[in-house]
Amino acid sequence: MTMLYFDFNATTPLSHKAKMAIQGMLDQFGNPSSRYRLSQNLVTLIHQAKESIAQLVGGSSERIIFTSGGTESNNLALHSVFSQLPVGQLSRYHAICSAIEHSSILEPLRWYQAQGLKLTVIEPSKTGRIDPDTLCNAITPQTCFIALMAINNETGVIQPYDKLASRLKGKGIHLHFDAIQAVGKWPMSSFDDIPLTISFSGHKFYAPKGIGGLYYSQQVKINPLLHGGGQEHGLRSGTENTLGIAGLAAAAKEAHEELMQRINYCREMRTYLLTQLDEFGVNYHVNGETNPEYQAPWTLNISFPGIRAEALASRLDLCHGISVSLGSACSNNSQSPQRSHVLLAMQSPHDYIDSALRISFGHVTEQHEVSVLANALQQETWHLLAIAGEQRI
């Protein structure tokens, strides 16, 4: 059975150039922190990789820190703000985030809240977008931190991060963009006239797992999570993951060169799938933005009313070799599965939440694969509705 993959938001395969870059580094075993000539190629590699990433975030290569990935980067940004506040004084400070943030933002903020931090959580519209006016109206004189996901990982809704950054000029509030679904996939800009951090993860744009990073503006002081080795100018100790960095550099260069081409192609595949489902008479509801300006074209969060998403995803996998997601890949690790906090925040009906699949495309997705997916969705939705005793609509 041919395996078809439609979960590019969870992770992406290594690009050919990323593989070649990693293979070319396998014999480069030196430690970048060493001073002899054997290590100089690795020092150069790290510098060039940061320049490639800087093109994707629109900032300076000198203010990029490599980490193990998105979760560490998000935690590093939060830690840099709150660990520098006076000990025992968290109750004097206030933070704001959206209700649709990733757990690597929400859970640390909830922990700081338990220590006394005042926290305001902003709900999205029913289409999953945060209103910048609502967010800015929540700012108080005590506000020191705001987190806003650039593109939501479950719905693909593009948030007004650029508008928010513009409105925070001169306020001295640290703004953090979780851009893990954006960097390498969507045009990004940094804003160096405000305290700003931007997190990214390589395996979301065809680089290996275990490598990511954090961009920080010149107004930000990074307070390390890890101490001891002095790497990354003392901001992230630990011997650099040179194999991962090599793959990241190659994937970042490709992403920058092909960005708009990839975006347009994914838009075609998303539109094609919906057109096919319409032609097949499949009953579905799209969760997210109807305005294409606010919707990432590689993401489709789609509900099939009357059907359990777990059953549909399992049948797609076992009967057709098709991989789709029930939502965030990280949330699948939970021992007690819960309804999507993103769709709940959007006030989606429980029937829509319980029947929702996340289908995500890549530039390597082929149109005939989308046709196979559409046919499989028609077959399996009708099959499951028949089992439930419901007529096709």
Side-chain angles (χ1 to χ4, degrees):
M1 180 187 296
T2 302
M3 302 301 291
L4 302 181
Y5 186 72
F6 291 94
D7 198 16
F8 286 82
N9 280 18
T11 194
T12 56
L14 279 175
S15 74
H16 176 70
K17 288 184 178 179
K19 286 182 183 178
M20 295 300 294
I22 293 170
Q23 290 173 0
M25 293 298 297
L26 289 176
D27 292 329
Q28 299 285 334
F29 62 89
N31 190 318
S33 296
S34 299
R35 297 300 179 95
Y36 34 72
R37 286 179 294 170
L38 180 66
S39 299
Q40 290 309 301
N41 287 342
L42 300 175
V43 174
T44 300
L45 164 70
I46 293 170
H47 176 71
Q48 292 176 343
K50 290 187 177 183
E51 289 185 337
S52 295
I53 289 293
Q55 289 183 309
L56 296 180
V57 300
S60 169
S61 62
E62 297 176 353
R63 294 195 294 276
I64 291 172
I65 305 169
F66 286 132
T67 68
S68 63
T71 294
E72 182 187 341
S73 296
N74 282 340
N75 277 262
L76 176 58
L78 288 162
H79 177 76
S80 293
V81 175
F82 297 115
S83 65
Q84 296 184 53
L85 300 180
V87 176
Q89 300 292 317
L90 270 178
S91 61
R92 296 172 51 192
Y93 296 91
H94 174 243
I96 303 171
C97 72
S98 80
I100 57 174
E101 297 299 309
H102 190 269
S103 57
S104 60
I105 291 290
L106 288 173
E107 291 187 19
L109 280 175
R110 294 294 189 193
W111 185 88
Y112 284 113
Q113 183 182 30
Q115 312 308 308
L117 176 71
K118 294 181 176 67
L119 178 64
T120 298
V121 180
I122 304 298
E123 300 290 332
S125 68
K126 291 186 178 181
T127 61
R129 190 166 158 87
I130 298 296
D131 179 6
D133 290 335
T134 302
L135 197 153
C136 288
N137 289 340
I139 294 174
T140 73
Q142 291 75 41
T143 304
C144 63
F145 179 84
I146 297 175
L148 182 65
M149 180 179 277
I151 301 179
N152 186 260
N153 57 311
E154 291 193 31
T155 64
V157 174
I158 301 168
Q159 302 302 325
Y161 57 91
D162 49 351
K163 292 182 180 178
L164 179 60
S166 297
R167 294 177 64 170
L168 289 183
K169 291 180 181 179
K171 295 185 181 296
I173 300 172
H174 185 120
L175 177 59
H176 176 65
F177 294 150
D178 173 348
I180 292 163
Q181 288 293 339
V183 172
K185 302 168 81 170
W186 190 255
M188 291 289 297
S189 298
S190 64
F191 299 83
D192 283 338
D193 49 359
I194 63 171
L196 174 71
T197 45
I198 302 174
S199 55
F200 62 90
S201 183
H203 75 105
K204 304 298 185 180
F205 57 94
Y206 307 91
K209 299 172 182 62
I211 185 69
L214 186 71
Y215 176 82
Y216 62 100
S217 70
Q218 57 189 356
Q219 297 192 32
V220 170
K221 179 183 178 183
I222 296 296
N223 204 18
L225 281 169
L226 304 176
H227 301 266
Q231 290 86 356
E232 298 288 77
H233 305 291
L235 301 179
R236 202 278 186 176
S237 292
T239 302
E240 293 89 346
N241 175 8
T242 50
L243 290 180
I245 291 171
L248 180 71
K253 187 173 185 294
E254 284 184 288
H256 177 68
E257 293 172 348
E258 302 175 8
L259 192 63
M260 295 311 301
Q261 178 184 341
R262 293 180 181 185
I263 289 171
N264 292 332
Y265 181 75
C266 287
R267 183 175 288 114
E268 291 177 11
M269 294 302 100
R270 188 180 190 272
T271 301
Y272 179 69
L273 176 59
L274 291 175
T275 300
Q276 288 286 96
L277 294 179
D278 287 336
E279 291 179 358
F280 292 156
V282 176
N283 182 34
Y284 67 85
H285 173 80
V286 175
N287 305 302
E289 270 288 346
T290 55
N291 184 343
E293 182 182 352
Y294 302 148
Q295 178 65 49
W298 57 85
T299 305
L300 177 62
N301 192 299
I302 185 169
S303 296
F304 300 91
I307 294 171
R308 294 291 302 187
E310 298 94 329
L312 180 55
S314 293
R315 288 194 62 84
L316 289 173
D317 184 16
L318 297 174
C319 302
H320 303 272
I322 294 173
S323 300
V324 297
S325 174
L326 301 180
S328 166
C330 299
S331 66
N332 293 333
N333 293 323
S334 174
Q335 294 182 353
S336 55
Q338 299 176 343
R339 289 189 171 103
S340 162
H341 74 283
V342 173
L343 297 184
L344 283 172
M346 291 164 57
Q347 301 180 46
S348 298
H350 285 181
D351 186 36
Y352 285 1
I353 299 175
D354 294 342
S355 64
L357 296 181
R358 183 187 68 183
I359 298 169
S360 46
F361 308 92
H363 71 279
V364 296
T365 304
E366 297 184 10
Q367 183 169 317
H368 78 88
E369 296 176 328
V370 180
S371 295
V372 173
L373 172 61
N375 276 281
L377 285 169
Q378 178 199 39
Q379 294 177 37
E380 298 306 333
T381 54
W382 289 6
H383 174 76
L384 290 169
L385 286 172
I387 291 175
E390 297 188 26
Q391 294 182 346
R392 300 196 299 264
I393 301 175

